[in-house]
Amino acid sequence: MQISAVLSFVALVASVTAVAVPNSVVDLSLAKRQDGCNLYCDPLGTAQAECHGYSICLCGGPVAALVYACGTCKFQRDTTQYAALQQEMDRYSADCAAKNYPVGALPIPYCSAPATA
């Protein structure tokens, strides 16, 4: 049984199996984009490798915090992407919940957008 999980804020789609095997619950490859959010997003690639596809790891607090920080940073860099980024947060949360490892809601704070003159 496969579910579609997306966390690539640009390209988006990754297929995963319902059991915890490589090709994890989340595609964390978005971390390789060089866009100023590397401090937050690069560790997602490391997490995907170190978690070996196990949902308990990929949906754990440290990875969920990185996903949230990466998405928030990307929003601050490009506020026009708010809806797409929030949709990705929602998918990550839903995919983890479907694997019985809920991370809760991850709302990107719209007020975190940089002020414009």
Side-chain angles (χ1 to χ4, degrees):
M1 174 177 169
Q2 291 195 342
I3 65 172
S4 178
V6 194
L7 192 58
S8 166
F9 296 110
V10 178
L12 310 175
V13 181
S15 295
V16 299
T17 19
V19 292
V21 294
N23 267 355
S24 62
V25 80
V26 214
D27 175 11
L28 301 176
S29 63
L30 70 118
K32 298 306 173 199
R33 287 190 49 118
Q34 301 294 321
D35 65 0
C37 293
N38 299 3
L39 176 65
Y40 307 106
C41 299
D42 282 355
L44 291 175
T46 303
Q48 186 171 16
E50 290 182 1
C51 288
H52 303 289
Y54 291 103
S55 299
I56 192 170
C57 178
L58 290 168
C59 296
V63 177
L66 285 173
V67 168
Y68 181 74
C70 178
T72 300
C73 179
K74 287 180 178 288
F75 168 63
Q76 291 172 340
R77 298 250 181 236
D78 183 359
T79 58
T80 65
Q81 295 298 309
Y82 179 79
L85 292 168
Q86 187 58 62
Q87 185 177 26
E88 296 309 314
M89 296 291 106
D90 294 345
R91 285 182 186 158
Y92 170 77
S93 181
D95 287 339
C96 287
K99 298 286 192 169
N100 294 318
Y101 299 108
V103 297
L106 299 172
I108 295 174
Y110 195 78
C111 61
S112 69
T116 57

